[in-house]
Amino acid sequence: VSMLVFLICTAFTAWAGEVTLTILHTNDSHGAGAEVTKKAFSYAQIAALADSITPRPVLLDAGDIVEGSVFASETEGLLSINAMRLAGYDAVTLGNHEFNRFRKSTIERLTGAAGGSLKGNAVTIVNANVSGSSELDKLPAYTIIERDGVRIGVFGLTTTSTMGTANPAHNKGLTFEHGITVAESTVAEMKALSANKRSPIILALGHMGFEQGMSEPEYDLSEAVAPQVDGIDLVIDADVHQVMLGAGS
């Protein structure tokens, strides 16, 4: 399984002038990334890249972190989770594969304090649209990150198809709200909280998927959310493993 790594450099206007903001994001690692291979980046390489850039990039992951190999399944993704904690990820969202057997342990291990088997720093999980369990209901819908005077609001969305693509037995009682409705209210909340401050750049960190020609709201894909919700400056997406840039896109 290849880890998908993308780098975005964007110039934003801060109080003191223009700032170039770098966003590094990964998705659909499926238990890979803890070791260097010919086909995949490692978290160590990502951390080194982040450390080489000033100001430090915003480091994000769009889900499907822990499930995808025998080793990852046997350890409930512990090696990948510790690698992300040590790399200094700012925020992640949950993928549909996090809603199989390891949802609770993944949330607890990413967000928990260091100690015992957990290394590095806790990672914020943003979850705006899934509720129905104690661990999910405690997660914030969004987080505000700051780099050189630029405020970045990041909120998380998980595909509503999860009830069909993950094991339903592990997700009884959960509610997956549609992305457009949740995105509208979450963006409005972030802007309202920033009334006395410079409005943040707003970023949707989604595990929703993109499929050309299927932009109807009921599909709840990123291409449906992006054009129908005012105020989102950037969408980072995952789930379907598509090549969006360059040859084969």
Side-chain angles (χ1 to χ4, degrees):
V1 177
S2 295
M3 173 178 286
L4 307 180
V5 185
F6 297 94
L7 181 150
I8 301 170
C9 295
T10 309
F12 295 107
T13 302
W15 289 112
E18 189 173 83
V19 173
T20 298
L21 174 67
T22 303
I23 300 170
L24 286 173
H25 62 98
T26 53
N27 60 277
D28 295 280
S29 55
H30 291 283
E35 299 178 358
V36 180
T37 72
K38 293 180 179 180
K39 295 183 178 180
F41 278 90
S42 72
Y43 288 114
Q45 290 171 309
I46 294 166
L49 178 59
D51 288 341
S52 72
I53 301 171
T54 304
R56 181 176 171 83
V58 178
L59 189 51
L60 306 170
D61 188 276
D64 278 3
I65 299 163
V66 300
E67 188 178 74
S69 71
V70 173
F71 181 76
S73 294
E74 286 295 318
T75 61
E76 299 187 19
L78 180 61
L79 192 59
S80 294
I81 288 170
N82 273 334
M84 295 181 78
R85 290 171 60 99
L86 289 165
Y89 272 72
D90 292 289
V92 306
T93 197
L94 298 171
N96 57 303
H97 282 271
E98 271 73 70
F99 287 85
N100 282 317
R101 294 176 293 162
F102 307 138
R103 182 184 72 238
K104 185 175 181 179
S105 64
T106 298
I107 292 172
E108 291 175 346
R109 286 172 165 182
L110 279 170
T111 62
S117 62
L118 293 181
K119 312 301 179 185
N121 298 312
V123 179
T124 298
I125 301 174
V126 285
N127 165 44
N129 73 315
V130 191
S131 60
S133 74
S134 58
E135 66 275 5
L136 286 168
D137 294 344
K138 292 176 183 177
L139 298 176
Y142 61 87
T143 186
I144 304 293
I145 303 162
E146 186 164 334
R147 293 288 191 276
D148 270 18
V150 176
R151 301 171 70 239
I152 308 102
V154 181
F155 70 96
L157 296 172
T158 301
T159 174
T160 55
S161 70
T162 297
M163 290 300 287
T165 58
N167 188 335
H170 298 295
N171 297 298
K172 292 179 180 178
L174 299 189
T175 298
F176 288 78
E177 296 182 71
H178 281 289
I180 292 174
T181 302
V182 171
E184 288 174 339
S185 61
T186 305
V187 169
E189 181 178 337
M190 282 192 280
K191 287 185 175 294
L193 289 175
S194 302
N196 297 321
K197 300 179 181 179
R198 192 171 187 85
S199 183
I201 305 301
I202 294 181
L203 191 156
L205 185 61
H207 194 91
M208 296 180 289
F210 179 96
E211 185 65 44
Q212 190 172 5
M214 295 177 64
S215 58
E216 295 87 347
E218 60 264 34
Y219 288 106
D220 210 41
L221 302 175
S222 60
E223 63 176 303
V225 173
Q228 296 191 55
V229 180
D230 290 333
I232 298 177
D233 297 291
L234 180 66
V235 176
I236 290 176
D237 196 23
D239 188 34
V240 290
H241 303 199
Q242 288 166 304
V243 178
M244 301 300 291
L245 300 172
S249 62

